Amino acid sequence: MSLLEVTDLKVSFPTSDGLVQAVRGLSFTVDRGRTLAIVGESGSGKTVSTQAILGLSPGADISGTALFEGVDLLELDREQLRRIRGAEISVVFQDPLTSLHPLYKVGRQIEELFHVHRPDTSRAEARKRAIELLGLVGIPRPDRRVDDYPHQFSGGMRQRAMIAMSLALNPKLIVADEPTTALDATVQAQILELIGRVQAEFDIALILITHDLGVVAGIADEVLVMYAGLVAERADRRTLYYRPHHPYTKGLLESIPGSTGTRGDRLRPIPGSPPSLIDLPSGCAFHPRCPYAMPVCAAERPPPAKVTGGGGHASACWLPHEAVGLGPEADALRLQAKEA
Amino acid sequence: MLLEVENVVKHFPITTGLLVKQTIGQVSAVDGVSFDLSPGETLGLVGETGCGKSTLARCVAGLHPITSGRVRFDGDDITNLPRARMRAYRRDIQVIFQDPYGSLNPRRRVGSIIADPLVVHRVSRGTELRRTVQELMERVGLNPEHYNRFPAEFSGGQRQRIGVARALALRPRLIICDEPVSALDVSIQAQILNLLKDLQDEFGLTYLFIAHDLSVVRHISDRIAVMYLGKIVELAGADELHEHPRHPYTNALLSATAVADPDEAERRRRIILTGDVPSPIDPPSGCRFHPRCPKARERCSSEEPPPALRDHLVACHFPVEAGEDLTTSGSGGRPA
């Protein structure tokens, strides 16, 4: 049994402009100790889907199932969910400055986790654990920094403190939502190394949400690419980067400067911009931007299908299953399908 | 040379006191920076948060008075010119800002935002103004019929196109791009980078391109300057800098840059720097990078390294040699 098994998750928000369909039927699984990366651009539904599972999206209409160790998280009441969130599943958010309370000392915010989830922990014990945790994530002189306020920490140190908090109660799953987006490159490298280290040490499963394909290239076991609330493509890391099937994945990879040929060459961006989630295109939501769009693409939504990249490689696209890769042969196959 | 920047220093005073202001210290945001730009060239300026790259850009654009040093544009000294005299140069030097959300007035229509520079500098008016603006919109890939829309009706990428159109309106010679694509998704980022490149070819523009993303900077720049705590630590050709970085900080920055290639990501040996960037209020003595440098020695903490070599400038006492492995360097690198 997988640690987390999400099936046909749908999340929508009723607004005065219409129904915002943020997630439109998302399914995925995460196994113990593994890393799943969810990659997508702004508005693809990557953050909303995990927040909905954790009961962090008030006002949303949610359907589907999210089995965590066999228990459907979407069926739990607030109190039951609160006991799991923070203890069994913890979250690291993008912006460590707004997710730490500015008026409480960093140490106290870690200790609070013990008071809430483990009421039998003594104050002294909780403080001792807070210091240990800060030391574990590489905060220098943790016995003194434990009494600092968040503003006395740098951006990287705040994110370390958030990771310390997420580890406090030995969770089975950490959801890291753009954990390094607000950080500089050298600090980002430090934090990614730290996440990888603690994950391996404590055998924790990780869902890493990011818009940056560069961040996950080194650490994800499996990668899920989302577009307009659906999975466009799912594959193990190597397959996704070297043998992508979905034209959106291919477009993302080719948009990265340095991915195509030499410096100064024109980049190959994806034309247009992402669709409105209130007024989605018919059929495949990507078809208005897709260079290989066929008549069927506008008419029918492609189901996720097994393609030939190997392993659990699946892609929601009408192109032939063997059209995988970035090279000219794969492109010829795609264009041939388009012409036919 | 179109632009010559000579030993520019920008200090911000730290003041205290309610009625009688007292200066109790200073932030050395930019501390003696020199470079020049030839017409049609793109110089990339990279560095992490707080290194002074945006302050430097604002000093060059005349938006901040500088503490000392000299800025020359097309041979004319434009250092701290009074407003009225600076105005003539503002036609030639334009800025594209990072945040396409914060830099456009939400209550004004897009047409009038783009028309602003033309009105202020009395270049055109009436129907001619409208035609010019619509031509600009078309040139940057916006629909000219959207002339009367508000910024909120545009996506992030389209807003950045509005910013580009506004900067382009007066046919400037130098455009300072301050993180123009950092707020955009990667597929949109590529559209804007292509647009900037096309406009440069068409109008012979010169760019000072500021970004924190090294792969973006490498793509668009002819030469790259790396800044650390208010100083340029290394300046070289874009490919040269990537293939043979000499300064230990450049090496660390390059090794830390995320790469969308699993094999490369695994092969790469990251130089993990310890600690954080020190405060520019009280920068370290000698070489400013020495407390975090894996190669630091005695001399680095006492003596400031002079910039050396003309075509590949590196401010370091012990530059990295080809093939040297910094990940195993045991000396220095004390935690801050």
Side-chain angles (χ1 to χ4, degrees), chain B residues 4 6 17 32 53 103-104 114 200 259 273-274 287 306 321 333 336:
Chain B
E4 290 159 273
E6 225 177 272
K53 54 191 192 298
S103 56
L104 302 176
I114 299 174
Q200 178 168 44
V259 49
L273 291 179
T274 48
C287 169
E321 302 300 331

Side-chain angles (χ1 to χ4, degrees), chain A residues 261-338:
Chain A
T262 46
R263 184 175 65 80
D265 280 4
R266 284 181 66 80
L267 295 167
R268 279 184 270 166
I270 303 173
S273 33
S276 152
L277 298 175
I278 294 176
D279 183 22
L280 283 157
S282 61
C284 170
F286 186 61
H287 87 261
R289 304 176 72 190
C290 181
Y292 311 102
M294 306 174 279
V296 64
C297 301
E300 247 180 286
R301 185 202 282 187
K306 210 167 148 32
V307 292
T308 56
H313 192 183
S315 166
C317 178
W318 290 116
L319 286 171
H321 295 168
E322 57 280 2
V324 294
L326 295 165
E329 304 88 24
D331 236 25
L333 269 174
R334 291 186 183 104
L335 287 171
Q336 203 182 334
K338 186 190 171 184

Side-chain angles (χ1 to χ4, degrees), chain A residues 7 16 128 157 161 176 191 194 202 217 228 253 273:
Chain A
T7 314
S16 54
K128 204 180 122 229
M157 281 165 68
I191 296 295
L194 172 66
F202 300 102
L253 287 167
S273 33

Side-chain angles (χ1 to χ4, degrees), chain A residues 186 190 238 242 263 266, chain B residues 48 191 198 221 261 263 273:
Chain A
T186 57
Q190 292 173 2
R238 282 214 151 62
Y242 298 134
R263 184 175 65 80
R266 284 181 66 80
Chain B
E48 298 182 283
Q191 294 176 2
D198 292 346
S221 308
D261 181 338
D263 286 341
L273 291 179

Side-chain angles (χ1 to χ4, degrees), chain A residues 99-117:
Chain A
S99 26
L100 286 168
H101 195 297
L103 299 183
Y104 291 103
K105 290 173 180 170
V106 173
R108 181 165 164 195
Q109 299 188 49
I110 302 177
E111 291 162 38
E112 194 184 11
L113 278 163
F114 293 100
H115 300 321
V116 171
H117 289 280

Side-chain angles (χ1 to χ4, degrees), chain A residues 213 223 225 233 235-242 244 249 253:
Chain A
L213 277 163
V223 185
V225 178
E233 185 160 14
D236 67 78
R237 173 165 53 117
R238 282 214 151 62
T239 306
L240 191 102
Y241 283 87
Y242 298 134
T249 313
L253 287 167

